[in-house]
Amino acid sequence: MIGLRKSLVFTFALAALTLLAAGCSSEEKKYIIATDTTFAPFEYTDEKGSFVGADLDILAAIAKDQGFKYELRPLGFDAAVAALESNQADGVIAGMSITDKRKEKYNFSDPYYVSHIVVAIAAGNDSIKSYADLADKTVAAKTGTEGAKFAESIAEKYKFKIRYFADSPTMYEDVKTGNTVACFEDSPVMAYGITKNNGLKIVEDPSESSPSSSYGFAVMKSHQANQKLLTMFQAGLAKIKQNGELKGIMKKYNLNYDF
């Protein structure tokens, strides 16, 4: 009888441990996704104080399709990348351009948007009509962006200096106050800002062809655990491209759709 009782106790204990283990293994991982804070219309705070944008809608649509959970962390572009590299974030979606240099460290999804760089000046400034007019002046660019890279590539040719900023709104204010005469920015971001009366206008100069860049979702190459997240993002992106949901998101934010 005692042996039977011990056997039953052992059986119940083993069953309880099995159920506990099953419960732990079924717990869904919540991915930490880092993003920018002010890169409208891809991520920004609207008039109601809600954090919104095309990147957020894309991420939400893909997570729903693929069935994964995530926590969004608006950190600013530089901080988002730093969080990714220090393993404090699992992925980044922040209007991040896919470049050969970045691909040395990050694995990217397929592109979900194609942009190019524009130069903008204060709306009331009529003295800057071309890149040549930037000679001996100081322009603004955002640290670590394709706009900054483009500005750096032509600074010597057109003889201008560059002042760097951490975010777009501060950069725009510097141009409007005249501390810098122009800024280099992604075309959809600047176009959206102008529709919201940001006080700037785009300089059209056919003498210099600005580069285009594709935006993608990124994870660290060295963090193998996050490759599953990239695989799910990739599959979900293909799905929302195919079913027209991505096109609808772009239309919602008045963005050109090139896929």
Side-chain angles (χ1 to χ4, degrees), residues 120 172 188-202:
Y172 299 166
V189 177
M190 181 53 64
Y192 180 84
I194 289 173
T195 66
K196 299 298 181 180
N197 302 312
N198 67 0
L200 301 178
K201 63 181 179 181
I202 294 173

Side-chain angles (χ1 to χ4, degrees), residues 69-246:
K69 295 181 180 180
Y70 66 92
E71 179 182 332
L72 191 71
R73 293 195 181 166
L75 303 174
F77 187 79
D78 288 345
V81 172
L84 184 64
E85 295 188 359
S86 62
N87 207 22
Q88 300 302 303
D90 299 302
V92 167
I93 185 165
M96 190 174 183
S97 297
I98 303 169
T99 67
D100 289 339
K101 185 175 181 180
R102 285 175 176 164
K103 284 194 285 188
E104 293 174 4
K105 288 196 293 185
Y106 316 126
N107 283 333
F108 284 94
S109 68
D110 287 339
Y112 60 83
Y113 189 79
V114 177
S115 173
H116 67 279
I117 306 302
V118 295
V119 175
I121 60 176
N125 184 356
D126 294 321
S127 64
I128 306 295
K129 295 181 172 61
S130 68
Y131 291 103
D133 294 329
L134 300 176
D136 302 319
K137 296 177 176 63
T138 302
V139 305
K142 209 162 63 168
T143 306
T145 62
E146 288 303 289
K149 183 179 176 182
F150 178 51
E152 291 160 359
S153 73
I154 64 172
E156 186 175 351
K157 177 179 178 180
Y158 291 104
K159 299 179 175 58
F160 59 76
K161 296 179 181 179
I162 306 170
R163 184 175 297 158
Y164 295 91
F165 295 85
D167 60 79
S168 295
T170 306
M171 179 173 70
Y172 299 166
E173 285 302 316
D174 201 71
V175 174
K176 287 192 291 182
T177 57
N179 292 322
T180 47
V181 297
C183 63
F184 287 70
E185 180 66 284
D186 285 34
S187 54
V189 177
M190 181 53 64
Y192 180 84
I194 289 173
T195 66
K196 299 298 181 180
N197 302 312
N198 67 0
L200 301 178
K201 63 181 179 181
I202 294 173
V203 174
E204 302 287 353
D205 183 359
S207 65
E208 194 72 47
S209 177
S210 66
S212 62
S213 61
S214 299
Y215 295 168
F217 177 79
V219 300
M220 285 296 294
K221 277 188 172 182
S222 57
H223 299 161
Q224 290 302 314
N226 294 332
Q227 305 314 308
K228 180 182 177 182
L229 172 61
L230 180 61
T231 299
M232 289 190 292
F233 188 95
Q234 189 83 319
L237 179 59
K239 181 72 71 66
I240 66 171
K241 282 182 179 180
Q242 184 180 32
N243 66 18
E245 192 169 359
L246 179 60

Side-chain angles (χ1 to χ4, degrees), residues 21-49:
C24 290
S25 63
S26 65
E27 276 186 24
E28 271 191 275
K29 175 179 173 61
K30 181 180 283 188
Y31 293 98
I32 305 299
I33 310 297
T35 187
D36 205 343
T37 53
T38 51
F39 196 63
F42 293 93
E43 42 266 333
Y44 63 102
T45 302
D46 66 12
E47 296 83 355
K48 297 178 181 177

